[in-house]
Amino acid sequence: MSAQHSPAAQRILSGHLWLVYVFLYTPILVLMGLSFNKAGMPTVWGGFSTEWYRVLLENDAVLNAAKNTLIVAVVSTILATLIGTLLAIGVERRQKHSNAMEALLFAPMIIPDIVLAIALLSFFTLLNFTLGLHSIILSHVVFNIAFVCAVVRTRLKNFDFSIIEASIDLGAGEFTTFWRVTLPAIFPGVLAGGLLAFTLSIDEFIIAYFTSGAGSSSTTLPMQIYSMIRFGVTPEINAMATIVMLVSFTLVFISQRIDRGQIGT
């Protein structure tokens, strides 16, 4: 029997919700507004202008960092989605689920990023592994696998594994069964997990900072923002942050829409 709230209680809960939204998003909206401030000062409004976005697009260091970020995000997303999807299928097909196994799966999502970053750096150092863009990609794969696995498993909760056995009984091989039966059925979950991994990879800073090599060849966009903000917040940084946030919000929104759609199917 579902609990019913009185109209007064509903108004209080609704007001509390809007206060939380205001608290969370007001600083973001202010930052986005300042990125269009022609005066270039946070205390004086000099009129609406897109000048700082033009200045941003003429900054070679920013463009190079954006290129590195896209390379890291695309490659790590592909690898993490592939490994995370196969991991989710393997876990869900197990007859018995243990708490220890679940804890190991969710560990990368729970432990602080700084701890995972130090662990990955120590591991690369132990192997005498050269740091660079490739080490950031591998680190982001490790970080994103758990998120992809968790999203795909939500789809597999309603998946009938007997159709896999039926496909094999009808003469299809395991690869054909996966490609033509399993993957189409769970594809919305795979896509949602991939979009989430891509978003996390674009926004991630701590792990990339610890596992990157020296020089601009392995500098990602969040690292570039950090290096610029040490000398003060400028409208150019506001413009860059606005673009990153809009991309992130869009990808998360699409991922959530896909995830909601797949739960209902």
Side-chain angles (χ1 to χ4, degrees), residues 84-105:
T85 299
L86 295 178
L87 178 62
I89 294 174
V91 169
E92 288 299 319
R93 294 197 66 173
R94 285 175 59 94
Q95 297 298 325
K96 296 181 180 179
H97 290 214
S98 64
N99 292 331
M101 182 187 67
E102 294 291 335
L104 287 175
L105 287 174

Side-chain angles (χ1 to χ4, degrees), residues 48-68:
F48 182 87
S49 174
T50 58
E51 175 185 357
W52 303 112
Y53 289 89
R54 179 185 59 78
V55 173
L56 182 66
L57 294 177
E58 294 175 353
N59 191 320
D60 292 336
V62 171
L63 295 178
N64 182 67
K67 181 189 71 174
N68 291 339

Side-chain angles (χ1 to χ4, degrees), residues 7-260:
Q10 290 181 355
R11 285 194 295 269
I12 293 174
L13 291 175
S14 179
H16 177 266
L17 177 63
W18 281 106
L19 285 176
V20 172
Y21 282 152
V22 170
F23 178 78
L24 289 176
Y25 292 105
T26 297
I28 296 176
L29 293 176
V30 170
L31 182 147
M32 296 174 66
L34 290 176
S35 70
F36 296 100
N37 185 9
K38 184 177 181 179
M41 300 177 60
T43 57
V44 178
W45 178 258
F48 182 87
S49 174
T50 58
E51 175 185 357
W52 303 112
Y53 289 89
R54 179 185 59 78
V55 173
L56 182 66
L57 294 177
E58 294 175 353
N59 191 320
D60 292 336
V62 171
L63 295 178
N64 182 67
K67 181 189 71 174
N68 291 339
T69 297
L70 286 177
I71 293 174
V72 171
V74 170
V75 177
S76 63
T77 296
I78 293 173
L79 294 176
T81 302
L82 175 62
I83 299 173
T85 299
L86 295 178
L87 178 62
I89 294 174
V91 169
E92 288 299 319
R93 294 197 66 173
R94 285 175 59 94
Q95 297 298 325
K96 296 181 180 179
H97 290 214
S98 64
N99 292 331
M101 182 187 67
E102 294 291 335
L104 287 175
L105 287 174
F106 289 107
M109 303 170 60
I110 298 173
I111 62 176
D113 288 357
I114 185 68
V115 175
L116 182 59
I118 294 174
L120 288 167
L121 177 59
S122 301
F123 180 72
F124 290 146
T125 303
L126 182 65
L127 296 179
N128 292 323
F129 192 74
T130 304
L131 299 181
L133 212 59
H134 54 284
S135 58
I136 301 178
I137 291 173
L138 292 176
S139 301
H140 279 197
V141 170
V142 173
F143 175 69
N144 285 326
I145 285 175
F147 291 94
V148 175
C149 180
V151 174
V152 175
R153 286 183 68 186
T154 61
R155 178 69 179 183
L156 289 170
K157 294 296 183 182
N158 300 321
F159 183 74
D160 185 6
F161 284 95
S162 63
I163 64 176
I164 297 179
E165 299 174 359
S167 176
I168 295 175
D169 289 340
L170 292 173
E174 293 187 0
F175 178 79
T176 302
T177 298
F178 173 79
W179 187 255
R180 296 195 174 185
V181 178
T182 308
L183 184 59
I186 66 173
F187 183 74
V190 174
L191 182 59
L195 288 173
L196 179 60
F198 187 81
T199 304
L200 293 173
S201 184
I202 287 179
D203 294 340
E204 206 286 317
F205 166 73
I206 297 178
I207 295 176
Y209 183 79
F210 273 78
T211 59
S212 63
S216 61
S217 60
S218 58
T219 299
T220 61
L221 200 54
M223 294 168 60
Q224 180 66 28
I225 294 175
Y226 173 74
S227 66
M228 295 171 63
I229 206 172
R230 288 183 297 175
F231 303 101
V233 179
T234 65
E236 187 178 357
I237 296 177
N238 292 335
M240 190 189 327
T242 299
I243 294 174
V244 172
M245 284 188 297
L246 288 177
V247 171
S248 300
F249 283 156
T250 301
L251 292 176
V252 170
F253 176 77
I254 295 174
S255 176
Q256 289 294 321
R257 294 291 296 179
I258 294 174
D259 198 28
R260 288 182 181 180

